[in-house]
Amino acid sequence: MVTFNDQVVVYGDGSGVPVSLRDWALVDSDYLRQQGKQYNTPHCIAESYQHLSLRVKELREHGATALGPAALVSVAMASRYVGSKVILCTDGRANIGLGLMEESPTPFSSPQSPYFYRQLAHEAANSGVIVSVMTFEGTDCRLAEVGLLADQTGGRVNTVSIGTVATEIQSALADNILATGVMATLLAADGVYFPYEEECSHRLVREIGNVTEAVEITFQFACKPDSVESFMRRARLPFQLQLSFTTRDQQNVTRIITEQRRVTTSSWVWAGSLNMSVLGVHCAQLCARLTMEGRVHEAQRQLRAQQNLLKDISVQRPNPKEESIYGNWISTMTTICGDLITDSQGNSKINDLQASKSTPVNVGHTPHTHTTHTHTHTHTHTHTHTHTHTHTHTHTHTHTHTHTHTHTHTHTHTVSCVSSQALSDEAAKVVYQMKRASSVDQSRRKQTDIAAL
C-alpha cells in the first residue's frame, strides 16, 4: 500500500516501517524509482491483512495530492514481478511533485498528454505491470491525462463511489496478464495501406504491450487509388499477421498467421455478410483513439459513416440486441465529440473577440487550402487469445476475421485538432472504456464464465 497527500508514504505489506518521501524527493524520479524497487514486501495479503486494515483505519485526508510521485514509486515496486498490478485511487488532481497538472488546461493546448504520464505508462508496460485508475464521482482529477497510465498498460479507467470502490478493485485484480511486450505486425498486398496510422504503407507495426483475456485489437485497411483497378481483377488478397510476445514465464514466442481474403465488388452482398460485432468494436476503438488524440472532426466523420453502414447491415440482417448496443456506443461518442467541438468553437470565438479589440484587422481575401483525399474502406478484425502455461511449453492460438469490401470516393476536408484535455472526467472515462471495447459475444461469454464460477 502507498498513500499520498503532500508526501508519499510507502507501507508495503503493512508489517514494516513506513517510508516517507517529501519535499525534494517528490521531484527526483531516480530517487523515487530507487526507493520503490528496494522496498521489500515479504508477506502476501493473506498474512498481512490485519496490518493493512489497521493502516487504512489510521488514514486521514489532508494536504496536497502527490499523485505522480506515488504512481512512480508504485510502478517501481510492482516492476520486480511480471504481471503485477497497480490500482491508483484518487479524489483530486495531481498538484505537487512530478506530474503536477495546471489548474485548468488552455482551450487549444497540445493534444499530447503530459510527458511524465506517457513515460511512466511506457515504463510500466515494458515491465509487464498493469495500472488501473479510479477516481471518485463528483471530483475533477483530469482523468483524460492520468488515464493514460491505464490506457497504455491494459488497465481499467473508471469513476467509483464509496459503495462501489471495493467491487471495482476486485474487477481490476481479475485482469490477469497473458503476455507482455506484445507486438503485432500486419502485412498486406502492395497497394494497400492502413488509414489513421503514422505511415502510409502496406506494413503496419503496432505495439500492444500487455494483453489480458478481454483484449480485442482491430485494424482498418484501405486501397490506394492507383491500385483499385488491379485489385478489382483479383479474386483474393493476401494478409499475414505476425505476433511476437513474452509469456509469463519469460519465454519469447512468435506466432504467424497467413490467409487469403476474398474481394467483392458488390456492396449489397458485402453488407449482408459483414460481422456487426467487428464493425462495432472497431468503430468504438478508432473513434475513441482519434478523440483522445484531438482529431475529433475525423472521429465524427467515422461515426457518421459507421452509423450509415450499420443501418444498411440491420436492413439485410436484423439483430436488435447488437444494433442497440453498438448504436448506443456510436450515439455516446457522437455526443462527446459534438460537445468537444462546441466548446472549442465557443472558446475560439471568445479568443477572436479579445484579439480583435487589441489587434488591427486587415480585410481582404484569404485563400483556403483544401485537401483532396481519396480512399477506400476495408475492415479487418483480429481477435487474439494467448494462453500460456507455467510449464516448459507454450500454446497460443489466434482467431482472425477479415471482411473485405472495396469502394472509392473523393471528398475534401481540412484536418483540425481539438484538445482532449477539455474532456470532463466522466467523458474521459467513457472514451477510455470505448478504447477497450469488446464484442457483445465476448462480453456474454465472460458473464457466463463468471456465473459458472
Side-chain angles (χ1 to χ4, degrees):
M1 182 174 73
V2 177
T3 65
F4 53 97
N5 38 56
D6 49 7
Q7 64 178 348
V8 175
V9 181
V10 183
Y11 292 95
D13 58 20
S15 62
V17 178
V19 172
S20 297
L21 304 168
R22 59 171 66 89
D23 300 330
W24 61 267
L26 301 181
V27 294
D28 190 332
S29 59
D30 292 335
Y31 181 76
L32 291 169
R33 189 176 294 106
Q34 178 188 13
Q35 292 298 308
K37 287 185 175 181
Q38 70 183 22
Y39 192 90
N40 292 321
T41 53
H43 303 290
C44 66
I45 189 72
E47 298 172 336
S48 60
Y49 170 76
Q50 291 183 341
H51 293 292
L52 288 172
S53 296
L54 180 61
R55 298 293 191 186
V56 170
K57 292 177 181 178
E58 293 174 347
L59 293 178
R60 298 292 183 271
E61 185 274 333
H62 69 278
T65 306
L67 186 152
L72 175 54
V73 170
S74 301
V75 168
M77 293 175 66
S79 65
R80 291 181 294 178
Y81 307 101
V82 174
S84 297
K85 302 179 185 69
V86 172
I87 301 177
L88 183 62
C89 300
T90 183
D91 65 351
R93 173 178 51 83
N95 54 17
I96 186 174
L98 296 171
L100 67 87
M101 301 174 189
E102 299 173 359
E103 187 68 27
S104 59
T106 57
F108 298 99
S109 56
S110 170
Q112 298 297 325
S113 294
Y115 176 80
F116 172 79
Y117 293 104
R118 290 199 305 271
Q119 289 298 106
L120 183 57
H122 185 70
E123 180 179 327
N126 287 343
S127 301
V129 175
I130 292 180
V131 182
S132 291
V133 178
M134 298 181 188
T135 64
F136 284 86
E137 295 174 350
T139 61
D140 178 16
C141 303
R142 298 279 287 279
L143 194 54
E145 297 175 45
V146 72
L148 264 178
L149 292 172
D151 182 54
Q152 296 186 13
T153 61
R156 296 171 179 245
V157 176
N158 212 344
T159 54
V160 299
S161 64
I162 294 297
T164 62
V165 62
T167 303
E168 289 299 327
I169 289 176
Q170 287 179 331
S171 298
L173 291 174
D175 291 333
N176 291 323
I177 287 182
L178 300 178
T180 62
V182 179
M183 185 78 70
T185 302
L186 185 60
L187 303 176
D190 192 16
V192 171
Y193 73 100
F194 300 93
Y196 307 105
E197 303 295 340
E198 293 182 359
E199 296 183 6
C200 184
S201 169
H202 68 286
R203 179 177 183 269
L204 172 64
V205 179
R206 184 177 295 181
E207 185 177 347
I208 299 172
N210 299 328
V211 167
T212 60
E213 184 180 357
V215 169
E216 288 190 43
I217 305 297
T218 64
F219 302 92
Q220 177 175 336
F221 57 91
C223 212
K224 293 180 180 179
D226 55 0
S227 300
V228 172
E229 187 176 346
S230 64
F231 285 162
M232 291 292 191
R233 295 193 295 267
R234 299 172 63 172
R236 294 179 178 273
L237 292 179
F239 293 90
Q240 183 177 91
L241 177 66
Q242 302 172 358
L243 285 175
S244 60
F245 54 91
T246 303
T247 64
R248 288 286 298 272
D249 54 355
Q250 298 302 296
Q251 295 187 56
N252 294 323
V253 180
T254 299
R255 179 86 165 102
I256 299 176
I257 305 103
T258 304
E259 294 189 3
Q260 299 275 341
R261 289 294 173 174
R262 188 170 62 88
V263 176
T264 177
T265 58
S266 171
S267 61
W268 191 93
V269 173
W270 168 72
S273 63
L274 272 177
N275 187 328
M276 189 178 291
S277 296
V278 174
L279 292 173
V281 170
H282 174 72
C283 178
Q285 292 182 353
L286 174 62
C287 293
R289 189 189 69 164
L290 292 174
T291 300
M292 292 310 297
E293 291 174 356
R295 300 157 68 181
V296 182
H297 293 282
E298 293 178 76
Q300 277 193 322
R301 282 191 292 273
Q302 273 292 313
L303 288 166
R304 285 193 292 266
Q306 292 296 330
Q307 199 167 30
N308 294 334
L309 183 57
L310 290 177
K311 286 180 182 178
D312 292 341
I313 296 173
S314 64
V315 169
Q316 298 182 39
R317 195 183 68 250
N319 188 326
K321 185 169 184 177
E322 287 190 348
E323 290 170 24
S324 174
I325 293 175
Y326 300 131
N328 285 339
W329 287 1
I330 292 176
S331 176
T332 300
M333 286 302 304
T334 299
T335 300
I336 291 174
C337 290
D339 290 344
L340 276 175
I341 290 175
T342 300
D343 290 344
S344 68
Q345 288 174 342
N347 289 322
S348 177
K349 290 179 180 178
I350 292 173
N351 290 344
D352 291 343
L353 180 61
Q354 292 174 341
S356 65
K357 292 180 179 179
S358 58
T359 305
V361 178
N362 295 322
V363 180
H365 176 71
T366 302
H368 297 273
T369 302
H370 297 274
T371 302
T372 301
H373 182 49
T374 304
H375 64 278
T376 59
H377 293 286
T378 320
H379 300 276
T380 180
H381 169 67
T382 302
H383 184 191
T384 305
H385 286 300
T386 306
H387 297 278
T388 60
H389 303 273
T390 55
H391 305 294
T392 57
H393 67 278
T394 302
H395 171 64
T396 62
H397 68 275
T398 305
H399 302 289
T400 305
H401 307 282
T402 308
H403 303 273
T404 307
H405 171 65
T406 305
H407 65 94
T408 305
H409 64 275
T410 304
H411 61 274
T412 61
H413 65 271
T414 54
V415 177
S416 59
C417 288
V418 178
S419 176
S420 61
Q421 294 178 16
L423 283 169
S424 67
D425 280 9
E426 185 62 28
K429 177 197 75 173
V430 173
V431 174
Y432 277 126
Q433 290 176 348
M434 288 293 184
K435 290 188 72 176
R436 284 174 52 88
S438 58
S439 59
V440 176
D441 290 339
Q442 188 188 62
S443 300
R444 191 185 300 122
R445 268 200 317 273
K446 290 186 69 180
Q447 291 172 359
T448 303
D449 294 341
I450 292 172
L453 291 175

